[in-house]
């Protein structure tokens, strides 16, 4: 009976049963989509803040809190969830691909004796997975940026996408299929920076909190470490993020794009809006955004 019970708890070879990889990737994607339902308003605020003051115009919002209250007042509760369908598709594509690539590479590079890859190799795996996921998720990212930016424009200039699929179809039809990957390079660069910074800062902050003696290895410690990691990661990735946002939202003027590339965006932001404008929207909301995502995705 004991042997039968043992076999029932594991496989026929005595190894413990694990979920199929496809199920793990599915749950990872669903976790990311679940987190998006909560953090979509924060993404919208961040995108609006990054576009505020574009082209040396007067800033529409003084702070992220001012942006949130202004959006609620002008567009209502539904307004802060504009672009939710695009956010969900982005997570379904980006997160699932990233987790899949990371898992496969991690297992392939694990030693025959079960020794996991070292820190630097794990960082390289994370950056590779992040860049690949970003490439796959760029079309949804383009749709998300445009949908969340629409409400700040005059009525006659709005794109008026009904949902993410309508956005993808119209972008392909009106601007060409390659427009779906507009801003792909800064999007991938951002993913590389985010994954590298998150991996290093989260593990380091968690260890620091545990060593302080005031924390034990529980959800509070994980949340505080995530908040610190979010602060570091956001500071590192925000300049690349603002370049990505503006490129993906730009229009053609007299047949020419507003920006040549990501460096052109950064140069113009610094020149016309000030150096610290590269960190527009970088406040507590951004840290909360990243902390929520990490908690959802880590289960």
């Amino acid at each position: 009976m004991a042997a039968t019970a043992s076999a029932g708890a594991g496989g026929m070879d005595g190894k413990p049963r694990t979920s199929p990889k496809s199920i793990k990737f599915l749950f990872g994607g669903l976790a990311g989509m679940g987190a998006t339902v909560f953090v979509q308003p924060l993404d919208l605020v961040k995108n609006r803040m990054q576009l505020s003051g574009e082209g040396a115009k007067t800033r529409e919002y003084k702070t992220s809190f001012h942006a949130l209250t202004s959006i609620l007042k002008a567009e209502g509760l539904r307004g802060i969830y504009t672009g939710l369908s695009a956010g969900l598709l982005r997570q379904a594509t980006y997160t699932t691909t990233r987790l899949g690539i990371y898992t496969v590479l991690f297992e392939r590079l694990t030693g025959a004796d079960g020794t996991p890859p070292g820190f630097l190799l794990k960082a390289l795996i994370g950056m590779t997975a992040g860049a690949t996921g970003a490439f796959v998720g760029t079309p949804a990212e383009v749709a998300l940026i445009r949908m969340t930016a629409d409400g700040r424009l005059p009525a006659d200039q709005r794109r008026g996408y009904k949902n993410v699929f309508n956005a993808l179809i119209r972008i392909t039809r009106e601007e060409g299929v390659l427009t779906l990957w507009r801003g792909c390079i800064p999007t991938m660069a951002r993913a590389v920076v985010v994954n590298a910074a998150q991996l290093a800062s989260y593990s380091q902050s968690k260890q620091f909190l545990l060593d302080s003696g005031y924390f034990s290895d529980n959800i509070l410690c994980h949340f505080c470490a995530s908040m610190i990691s979010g602060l570091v990661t956001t500071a590192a990735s925000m300049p690349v993020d603002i370049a990505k946002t503006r490129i993906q939202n730009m229009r053609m003027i007299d047949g020419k794009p507003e920006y040549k590339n990501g460096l052109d965006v950064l140069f113009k932001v610094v020149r016309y809006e000030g150096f610290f404008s590269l960190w527009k929207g970088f406040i507590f909301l951004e840290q909360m955004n990243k902390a929520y995502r990490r908690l959802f995705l880590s289960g």
Side-chain angles (χ1 to χ4, degrees), residues 51 54 142 145-146 149 152 159 161 175 179 182-183 242-253 256-262 264-265 268:
L51 294 168
E54 188 175 13
V142 171
I145 295 300
R146 292 186 174 196
R152 62 185 285 273
R159 293 182 170 102
Y161 300 135
E175 304 173 59
T179 305
R182 178 176 288 172
I242 195 171
K244 170 195 72 67
T245 298
R246 293 200 174 182
I247 286 177
Q248 291 175 335
N249 187 60
M250 71 178 178
R251 294 177 181 272
M252 302 296 287
I253 301 176
K256 296 181 180 180
E258 293 180 69
Y259 304 105
K260 298 176 183 177
N261 49 48
D264 185 41
V265 175
K268 287 180 177 177

Side-chain angles (χ1 to χ4, degrees), residues 60-262:
E60 301 161 68
Y61 311 113
K62 299 175 183 178
T63 64
S64 293
F65 182 74
H66 177 232
L68 181 61
T69 54
S70 298
I71 294 167
L72 279 171
K73 184 177 180 180
E75 303 171 45
L77 188 60
R78 288 186 62 183
I80 64 172
Y81 274 94
T82 300
L84 177 61
S85 61
L88 293 173
L89 182 62
R90 179 183 64 173
Q91 287 300 323
T93 52
Y94 167 70
T95 301
T96 305
T97 302
R98 184 185 64 169
L99 290 176
I101 297 295
Y102 184 88
T103 302
V104 170
L105 291 178
F106 189 91
E107 290 181 355
R108 284 179 178 270
L109 296 172
T110 296
D113 58 351
T115 304
F119 177 80
L120 291 178
L121 192 52
K122 278 197 292 186
L124 181 60
I125 293 172
M127 289 187 287
T128 302
T132 307
F135 178 81
V136 174
T138 295
E141 183 85 27
V142 171
L144 174 65
I145 295 300
R146 292 186 174 196
M147 292 174 75
T148 53
D150 227 21
R152 62 185 285 273
L153 298 172
D156 61 331
Q157 295 181 24
R158 295 178 185 176
R159 293 182 170 102
Y161 300 135
K162 298 176 182 178
N163 52 57
V164 64
F165 299 110
N166 176 249
L168 297 177
I169 291 171
R170 282 186 50 192
I171 290 171
T172 302
R173 183 188 302 145
E174 297 168 9
E175 304 173 59
V177 68
L178 293 181
T179 305
L180 295 176
W181 276 271
R182 178 176 288 172
C184 181
I185 299 302
T187 301
M188 294 172 69
R190 178 186 178 277
V192 168
V193 172
V194 165
N195 279 275
Q198 276 185 341
L199 185 63
S201 60
Y202 178 76
S203 58
Q204 191 64 36
S205 3
K206 180 183 174 185
Q207 191 58 50
F208 172 79
L209 293 173
L210 292 174
D211 291 344
S212 71
Y214 294 103
F215 292 85
S216 56
D217 194 356
N218 53 28
I219 192 169
L220 176 62
C221 178
H222 287 282
F223 181 77
C224 291
S226 294
M227 290 290 290
I228 297 171
S229 176
L231 176 68
V232 174
T233 302
T234 302
S237 65
M238 190 66 84
V240 187
D241 195 41
I242 195 171
K244 170 195 72 67
T245 298
R246 293 200 174 182
I247 286 177
Q248 291 175 335
N249 187 60
M250 71 178 178
R251 294 177 181 272
M252 302 296 287
I253 301 176
D254 296 327
K256 296 181 180 180
E258 293 180 69
Y259 304 105
K260 298 176 183 177
N261 49 48

